[in-house]
Amino acid sequence: MSKLIESKEGLRVLLMGNEAIARGALEAGVNVASSYPGTPSSEIIENLSRVAKERNLYVEWSTNEKVALEVAAAASFANLRALCAMKQNGVNVASDFLLHLAGSGTRGGLVLVSCEDPGALSSANEGDSRHFARMMEIPLLEPGDFQEAKDITKWAFDLSEEIKNIVMVRSVTRMSHASGTVWFGGLPKPEKPSKAAFNVDGPFFDQETGPVTSIPVAWHHPVQQEKIRKAEKIFEKSPFNTYRGPKKPELLLITSSACNLYSREAIHLMGLENRVGLLKLGTTWPLPPKLLKKYLSLTDKILIVEEVIPFLEENVKILAAEQAGEIGVKTFFGKKEGTLPKTGEFNPDLVAAALSKILGVSYATMEPEYQKKSQSAAASVGPDRDLTFCPGCPHRASYWSIHKALQLDNRKGFVCGDNGCYSLGIWPGGYRTISTLHSMGSCLGLATGFGKLDTFGMEQPVLAVCGDSTFFHAVLPALVNAVHHKANVTLVVFDNGGTAMTGFQSHPGLTVNAMGEEAPSLDIARICESMGAKVETRDPFDLEETTTTLNHLMEEEGVKVLILRQICALSPEKRGKKRYQMRIDETRCIGEECSCNRLCTRVFKCPGLAWDQGKKKARIDEVICAGCGVCADICQAGAIIREEAV
Amino acid sequence: MEPLIQDPYNIIIAGVGGQGNVMASRVVANMLSMKGYWITIGETFGASQRGGSVMSHIRVSAASIWSPQIPKGKAHIVIALEPVEAIRIMMTYGNRDVNVLTNTRPIYPVSVIAGEFSYPDLDEIKTTLDSLSSHVWMIDATDEAMKLGNPILSNIIMIGAISGLGLLALGLEEFMTVIGETFPEKLQVVNKRAFEIGRNKVVQ
């Protein structure tokens, strides 16, 4: 049984931030949860799906974030409580619906959780979606530790019902994927609510009983703004805004989210508890003006610590300017004037450096001599590890074939990439095969655009690559567009049987849904064919067949789709099972004498196959090799031997 | 709850994506959590797991949670599932008093696989680590794990070894409780064996 449905109140547990968010939703009696997987958000829905049966929840991995939010909103319209989770750029995808939803308002508690990735540890961007809260005029909450991750999520449902609008909760990687000690609150009894219904028989302008819409805007927009003013009043008294420090600090540090933990630690490290006041805000949009006025009045020096965009900084400055007559003129430190970095993830040392600069207190993280010695030691062990595909990963084989097909084609063809593990195709481990990488589905949108540039004399063949889950997420509309506009483009779908990058969640192409129930699967090949594309399906482990097919397709006009189907090496059905036992025939591997110029290791770069510096021959690493057998086809000397594993 | 040598006590578990780093940090943290300590873990997963260096930070405290990122130069113990990763950690989190426990089995970076760079030999690694820390223990955890039938067990052997060092309250009893919640019974036996092997490596 999942620890998340342990009903004992006051139980002390070690929870990941995302588990704490899931528990908060369960304590709030959530009914429906939806999401599209994305790091660092995925574990929220994973955890809720595991307890769906026991807690009578409906949980789904939706096709994309916009659909996910619509699914959650429908539950709210039917007076149920719903949570929708996504990574930062998912909010962009959902934002069109979100704008209209914020205008129409909601009924049952509806919470949008955005888990963001400052420093882009597992993203192609470090987008800060807090601006959406201001732009859409909806409340924004940011938990400052793991306990709050749970408690704020729970409270967000109450707030949503109180103001009758969606509430946004923002987390970051170091909150969602970090873990900490949390005390459980009680769980409501898992009863199905009385029959759900969407009640629309009432008067047109009654949000509870009439139609749910943002029109007429002239009527709804003022109502929406009244809701945000109500939230502002509630925030003045919120227990999630806390102050710790002296009555008259020299410096007021204002922060939120994981930066709260960095700031607390930095103050502690430097022994500045009596000089620096720490105002941690849990309600970051709209800011409560009276509360801010109270603390801004304590001192003239203000430091704002936040990731990534100076969102708090700008909003605090606006409040300070409005109140300048009463509280005086303040000096602000933060991102704008350069005390703190303008991009990237923070840590306690960056905050300590800022405090050191402002207060003139020295703080050394390391003795200079140790620093010098350890740096030269680290340099001696080589450059940082390049990210690469796992041993046995189908993507390595797929990129090998695409790379080769492009070389054989010899017309300077190029590949537009997309989001997933296969984004690594931009690095040497994927032979630098992809040349563009943007949002979900952009591979084919861009490729279609390129595919129409023949009008302007462009002659290069255009390819796009996407994964199976990405295909359903946002490639579909681009495919419609490509076919309709007769673009000359070849789409390669890396179908590895799941949303692999984020932990193997289900998607519409699979026969199982988030709750483990049987689900009808949509066949990518048939979808593409029915749209009028020419479709071929191959096994990427068959390098020759894949390359030849791709070369043929690139010669043809119109929209062509090559589906490369081979399950992810980390999938539960494959993991730890070797199809082949690989070995090197050392009599055949003539090492540097061979005309291959160490193709197997210098270029192919599978972690399971290394160059033995001593023997000057290739060597299989038994511990790492996954036994996919692909490298046997790389070696022209036939020195890599593939034998059926027993 | 036994008092800590340092509060917060800072543990770093380092390795390469796919070595079971996250699993190891969960087990250690849960064992300490059971003892009543406040625990904070910082880790990243996702893209970083694809062949890159990975690292978990565990903060143990009698008083509160702490930052999920350990401040620079403040590690108390570094557990490396891969030897050169221990050296990389020193540059940012090391200090003269740090204890280092490392597996001896290398996972070659792409640059080494490609023959562009040679991997340092173990004596060299040991000498370097000795010069940057208080104590170094090197354990052939992967080789022992292979004898048990699965290289992934090296992380449990390493946990057994930390237990053997006696720096933290990480006993077999706590281990079995945590493992009991994580693995089916069949796997518990081999995990217990792995833990004991690791423990004996440092206790001898």
Side-chain angles (χ1 to χ4, degrees), chain A residues 2 12 45 174 199 213 220 222 408 422 449 458 510 550 617:
Chain A
S2 166
R12 184 180 166 285
I45 296 296
R174 301 290 180 180
N199 191 353
T213 171
H220 277 282
L408 289 168
Y422 52 91
M458 192 159 129
L510 303 179
L550 200 51
K617 286 176 194 294

Side-chain angles (χ1 to χ4, degrees), chain A residues 32-249:
Chain A
V32 169
S34 57
S35 175
Y36 179 81
T39 311
S41 73
S42 312
E43 297 78 10
I44 299 171
I45 296 296
E46 276 178 357
N47 277 287
L48 290 175
S49 70
R50 276 182 212 130
V51 301
K53 280 198 183 71
E54 291 94 329
R55 301 299 305 174
N56 286 332
L57 313 180
Y58 173 72
V59 183
E60 75 166 44
W61 289 120
S62 310
T63 313
N64 63 39
E65 292 85 353
K66 177 172 177 279
V67 175
L69 188 56
E70 287 155 351
V71 166
S76 162
F77 296 167
N79 286 309
L80 300 176
R81 285 191 158 189
L83 176 137
C84 185
M86 55 192 65
K87 73 179 291 174
Q88 73 276 5
N89 40 305
V91 184
N92 303 1
V93 177
S95 64
D96 192 11
F97 177 67
L98 182 59
L99 176 64
H100 295 90
L101 179 66
S104 76
T106 56
R107 292 182 184 174
L110 179 58
V111 178
L112 166 64
V113 183
S114 173
C115 300
E116 319 203 344
D117 194 13
L121 302 167
S122 191
S123 303
N125 66 80
E126 56 171 349
D128 183 338
S129 72
R130 292 178 299 170
H131 277 289
F132 276 110
R134 188 164 66 180
M135 188 168 137
M136 310 293 183
E137 300 171 282
I138 56 170
L140 172 69
L141 308 175
E142 293 184 75
D145 62 31
F146 310 98
Q147 184 70 42
E148 282 192 3
K150 176 182 84 62
D151 295 343
I152 269 189
T153 307
K154 181 176 183 232
W155 182 60
F157 286 91
D158 295 336
L159 178 65
S160 169
E161 283 173 8
E162 190 154 355
I163 67 163
K164 294 286 165 202
N165 213 348
I166 185 168
V167 171
M168 184 165 162
V169 174
R170 185 230 194 193
S171 175
V172 292
T173 301
R174 301 290 180 180
M175 187 66 65
S176 280
H177 277 178
S179 304
T181 304
V182 172
W183 272 260
F184 276 178
L187 278 185
K189 283 207 176 88
E191 285 170 35
K192 275 225 158 130
S194 55
K195 212 170 173 185
F198 180 35
N199 191 353
V200 285
D201 299 334
F204 189 86
F205 289 109
D206 183 359
Q207 196 185 316
E208 294 302 303
T209 57
V212 184
T213 171
S214 58
I215 59 167
V217 174
W219 191 83
H220 277 282
H221 198 183
V223 171
Q224 183 191 351
Q225 292 193 341
E226 192 50 48
K227 292 173 181 177
I228 197 86
R229 277 194 291 275
K230 191 171 176 187
E232 187 181 285
K233 282 202 188 75
I234 295 169
F235 288 174
E236 294 284 5
K237 304 235 177 296
S238 167
F240 299 113
N241 301 322
T242 56
Y243 176 80
R244 58 159 85 180
K247 282 193 176 130
K248 278 278 162 202

Side-chain angles (χ1 to χ4, degrees), chain A residues 473-530:
Chain A
H473 180 288
V475 171
L476 271 174
L479 183 60
V480 171
N481 192 61
V483 172
H484 180 67
H485 292 101
K486 293 193 211 166
N488 289 321
V489 60
T490 309
L491 170 68
V492 184
V493 182
F494 291 179
D495 183 356
N496 62 358
T499 317
M501 164 114 269
T502 49
F504 242 77
Q505 294 82 6
S506 65
H507 64 62
L510 303 179
T511 53
V512 66
N513 67 16
M515 295 183 292
E517 297 163 345
E518 206 176 307
S521 70
L522 283 74
D523 187 322
I524 296 175
R526 282 176 57 200
I527 291 170
C528 297
E529 270 163 6
S530 70

Side-chain angles (χ1 to χ4, degrees), chain A residues 3 12-14 16 19 39 43 121-123 144-146 173-181 183 258 261-262 264-265 268-269 307 345-349 363-367 369-371 373-375 377-390 421 424 428-429 500-503 570 575 598 600-603 605-611 613 619 621-624, chain B residues 1 7-8 10 15-16 18 25-26 29-30 32-53 55 57 59 61 64-74 82 84-85 87-98 105-120 124-125 128 131-133 142-143 146 151-152:
Chain A
K3 65 185 167 193
R12 184 180 166 285
V13 275
L14 177 58
M16 196 203 290
E19 291 173 326
T39 311
E43 297 78 10
L121 302 167
S122 191
S123 303
D145 62 31
F146 310 98
T173 301
R174 301 290 180 180
M175 187 66 65
S176 280
H177 277 178
S179 304
T181 304
W183 272 260
L261 300 173
Y262 306 149
R264 249 161 63 179
E265 181 120 22
H268 171 78
L269 279 173
E307 299 159 327
E345 186 179 50
F346 282 6
N347 56 46
D349 300 282
Y363 173 70
T365 56
M366 243 181 215
E367 292 168 32
E369 195 199 332
Y370 186 92
Q371 188 155 24
K373 209 160 79 177
S374 61
Q375 277 172 355
S380 74
V381 299
D384 286 350
R385 285 176 192 269
D386 281 333
L387 294 185
T388 187
F389 296 115
C390 304
C421 290
L424 296 180
M501 164 114 269
T502 49
L570 299 182
R575 192 166 198 160
R598 295 192 285 110
C600 61
T601 50
R602 188 178 58 85
V603 185
K605 289 189 169 86
C606 173
L609 186 64
W611 183 249
Q613 292 275 15
R619 186 173 69 77
D621 190 327
E622 274 299 312
V623 174
I624 296 169
Chain B
M1 192 162 52
D7 196 336
N10 301 328
V16 178
S25 80
R26 291 294 156 77
N30 277 309
L32 292 163
S33 179
M34 269 177 57
K35 287 281 182 181
Y37 296 111
W38 289 76
I39 303 292
T40 317
I41 315 174
E43 56 204 349
T44 56
F45 29 98
S48 53
Q49 281 177 296
R50 307 296 183 250
S53 302
M55 171 167 63
H57 291 189
R59 324 281 313 263
S61 173
S64 71
I65 63 153
W66 290 89
S67 151
Q69 295 191 72
I70 294 171
K72 311 284 182 250
K74 297 282 188 285
E82 202 283 345
V84 306
E85 291 309 310
I87 297 176
R88 290 191 215 274
I89 296 295
M90 293 301 132
M91 175 174 70
T92 316
Y93 300 100
N95 55 75
R96 284 175 210 290
D97 301 321
V98 70
R105 175 86 182 206
I107 292 185
Y108 297 129
V110 170
S111 59
V112 172
I113 287 169
E116 292 154 10
F117 201 87
S118 35
Y119 194 94
E124 223 177 298
I125 292 173
T128 307
S131 76
L132 293 169
S133 63
T142 304
D143 299 340
M146 297 210 12
I152 199 77

